[in-house]
Amino acid sequence: MGIKVAKFGGSSLADANQFKKVKQILLSDPDRRFAVPSAPGKRFKDDSKITDLLYKCYRQVEKGEDFQSAFSVIEERYRQIAFDLALDIDIDGLLDQTGKDIRRVATPDFAASRGEYLNGVLLSAYLGWDFIDPKNYIRFDRQGVFAEEWTNELLGSELRKHEHAVIPGFYGSVPNGEIRTFSRGGSDITGAVVARAAGAELYENWTDVSGFLMADPRIVENPREIRYLTYAELRELSYMGATVLHEESIFPVHKAGIPTNIKNTNDPAHPGTMILEKTPEGVQNAITGIAGHKNFSLISIEKAMLNSEKGFCRRVLSVLEDFDISIEHMPTGIDTVSVVVADSEIQDRAGEITHRIKEVCQPDHIEISGGIALIATVGVGMVRSPGTAAKLFNGLHRAGVNVRMIDQGSSELNIIVGVDTGDFDKAVRAIYEAFNA
Ligand code: ASP
């Protein structure tokens, strides 16, 4: 029998009714031995997330203001859950102590971590499972960098002592014991870290959607669901804007060869998306997903005989490095080099950058144009599907989209096109339709 680690997002644990669904899910499979909860999320569209309220409390503590009105909203949420589930815990004492601790410790990380901590205490009481405080097992170094191997050892030996346990997500501690959190959405990382430390056969990430979709549903109507995704594809898609999972949660499980299953707490029978090392035999899609981002600039440089000039690209890049600019793509032609960078990297320095590149590289022509959107069409299947690029570009042509830049990674995992921002939605729909007509 393998072990499954189940992480539940904020909306999966937003109220008592959601807790009931979670309990049912956990008890319906004896392999589900470890649960990692987030803090309660939104119950409806305009509701507040506990974590946001906790940061607000911290800001008030920092300013020396009274945080009671923000904190009482938090207290009410937890009290309601404990009451509705008839939990046998001293919820008032717990909340009172938490308020005092937030005031005493007075750091943003500590305040924010209490959302997961309290939800973990409630969930473990509700399930009758052990509670493991990640403070003692999820470790960050003195610089605040997550100490992956140290954590793996500490947590691994602790988990072996428990048949069932709840381990709150999002936080751990630095060597002096101070609480430290991952970045926002970081309970996904805790879940992956617990899965690796437990030697799990599966990491289940329970959320409020049934996995990844082939394209953003705000752009493409009713996009298809992605049943299987490889970790490499997921990297590409999440870098380009698909936001179901925290980017960094991929690494611990990928390293340990553990698949991740994105599942829907509100529709547990749905298979969701399975993220694996390799696409299973028999699954043959030319493309897996489409994702994109706006707000890029294209630095286009032309120079006759550029291809025979040694060190040209290096000089361009060294100028960008001097400006501390990180680059996204660098497609080259015979006499041209283009560099794609995020607008935020250029800020208002376009004039200065142009001037410096002219000085160092003496190009015939250089231009920096903003307003570019990048769209990645991703799929491990494209290597063995001739005609993928033709389909994609025909689709864009039919839709009248002008392609400003093309880049295909050498892994043949993706084709990236740059289009004018105004063409973004049209281009995503055109690519989607080209592969799903
Ligand atoms: N509660 C934290 C946040 O809102 C962490 C998480 O939910 O993953 O960012």
Side-chain angles (χ1 to χ4, degrees):
M1 238 179 27
I3 296 173
K4 292 178 186 159
V5 170
K7 180 259 167 181
F8 293 90
S11 54
S12 298
L13 288 164
D15 58 23
N17 200 29
Q18 292 298 100
F19 267 68
K20 288 181 188 162
K21 292 183 194 171
V22 165
K23 183 172 187 173
Q24 237 175 24
I25 290 168
L26 287 171
L27 300 189
S28 68
D29 182 345
D31 291 349
R32 294 186 177 123
R33 289 182 37 200
F34 302 111
V36 176
S38 283
K42 294 184 179 191
R43 293 159 295 181
F44 43 85
K45 192 168 159 283
D46 294 322
D47 198 13
S48 20
K49 290 184 66 169
I50 292 291
T51 310
D52 294 336
L53 294 170
L54 285 162
Y55 280 119
K56 191 169 160 196
C57 287
Y58 163 72
R59 285 192 298 274
Q60 283 169 330
V61 170
E62 193 193 16
K63 284 192 242 150
E65 292 170 10
D66 178 29
F67 71 35
Q68 199 47 48
S69 79
F71 194 65
S72 60
V73 181
I74 297 171
E75 288 184 311
E76 204 31 56
R77 289 282 298 272
Y78 286 110
R79 224 179 254 131
Q80 190 72 49
I81 296 172
F83 176 80
D84 290 347
L85 299 176
L87 297 184
D88 185 17
I89 54 173
D90 173 16
I91 186 72
D92 291 329
L94 190 61
L95 291 167
D96 192 46
Q97 187 59 45
T98 303
K100 285 190 187 128
D101 289 344
I102 291 175
R103 239 179 257 125
R104 176 179 51 83
V105 179
T107 68
D109 286 29
F110 181 81
S113 74
R114 295 306 86 187
E116 270 69 11
Y117 170 80
L118 290 170
N119 232 18
V121 172
L122 263 53
L123 185 63
S124 76
Y126 184 45
L127 295 167
W129 288 12
D130 299 343
F131 176 81
I132 298 180
D133 193 338
K135 170 178 166 233
N136 305 319
Y137 306 100
I138 302 246
R139 308 312 297 255
F140 294 81
D141 67 17
R142 274 190 206 87
Q143 282 72 41
V145 177
F146 173 51
E148 203 180 329
E149 298 309 316
W150 188 21
T151 296
N152 195 47
E153 263 172 50
L154 276 174
L155 187 59
S157 56
E158 181 61 23
L159 292 172
R160 282 190 282 282
K161 298 180 196 151
H162 302 265
E163 187 55 31
H164 289 288
V166 172
I167 308 103
F170 196 36
Y171 72 93
S173 68
V174 291
N176 71 5
E178 237 174 66
I179 295 292
R180 179 89 205 186
T181 65
F182 290 111
S183 56
R184 292 300 304 265
S187 298
D188 282 346
I189 308 175
T190 308
V193 166
V194 172
R196 180 180 170 213
E201 60 157 25
L202 184 66
Y203 170 33
E204 292 182 327
N205 191 294
W206 291 85
T207 170
D208 53 8
V209 292
S210 297
F212 282 84
L213 299 171
M214 259 189 92
D216 186 337
R218 290 166 300 187
I219 302 175
V220 172
E221 204 180 314
N222 257 327
R224 283 195 203 195
E225 292 162 350
I226 302 179
R227 180 80 183 84
Y228 298 101
L229 193 61
T230 68
Y231 279 107
E233 290 172 328
L234 173 59
R235 272 289 286 157
E236 302 280 345
L237 289 171
S238 51
Y239 186 71
M240 290 301 280
T243 53
V244 176
L245 258 188
H246 191 296
E247 250 196 304
E248 289 164 48
S249 66
I250 300 170
F251 301 110
V253 271
H254 187 196
K255 184 183 259 175
I258 302 167
T260 299
N261 194 183
I262 309 290
K263 296 273 287 178
N264 190 347
T265 302
N266 306 318
D267 186 8
H270 192 292
T273 298
M274 186 64 96
I275 308 161
L276 305 146
E277 181 59 34
K278 270 186 157 161
T279 316
E281 291 292 326
V283 176
Q284 270 180 349
N285 301 324
I287 72 158
T288 306
I290 305 163
H293 246 289
K294 293 177 185 167
N295 303 324
F296 290 95
S297 294
L298 194 59
I299 307 175
S300 315
I301 306 164
E302 277 177 42
K303 187 171 188 183
M305 304 298 288
L306 183 156
N307 65 333
S308 52
E309 185 178 325
K310 291 200 176 70
F312 188 85
C313 291
R314 182 184 54 72
R315 284 195 289 280
V316 171
L317 292 180
S318 70
V319 171
L320 297 178
E321 192 178 349
D322 290 345
F323 280 92
D324 201 23
I325 287 175
S326 133
I327 74 162
E328 300 291 326
H329 298 281
M330 190 171 184
T332 58
I334 298 184
D335 289 333
T336 60
V337 175
S338 314
V339 188
V340 180
V341 303
D343 283 344
S344 55
E345 298 279 318
I346 302 255
Q347 295 155 11
D348 51 2
R349 302 182 296 176
E352 267 176 87
I353 297 166
T354 307
H355 178 73
R356 187 81 187 120
I357 292 179
K358 277 187 183 160
E359 230 172 40
V360 176
C361 311
Q362 278 139 23
D364 296 334
H365 181 73
I366 166 164
E367 192 180 317
I368 302 187
S369 44
I372 301 286
L374 295 181
I375 302 167
T377 304
V378 176
V380 283
M382 62 174 73
V383 183
R384 46 182 160 70
S385 311
T388 306
K391 255 191 198 167
L392 191 154
F393 290 105
N394 274 330
L396 290 172
H397 172 67
R398 273 197 304 274
V401 174
N402 182 24
V403 175
R404 304 281 308 272
M405 186 225 62
I406 303 170
D407 195 12
Q408 181 175 26
S410 55
S411 56
E412 282 193 61
L413 191 62
N414 61 19
I415 299 174
I416 293 172
V417 294
V419 302
D420 288 328
T421 297
D423 282 341
F424 181 70
D425 288 8
K426 190 161 73 168
V428 171
R429 279 195 287 269
I431 298 172
Y432 181 82
E433 275 154 26
F435 290 95
N436 290 287

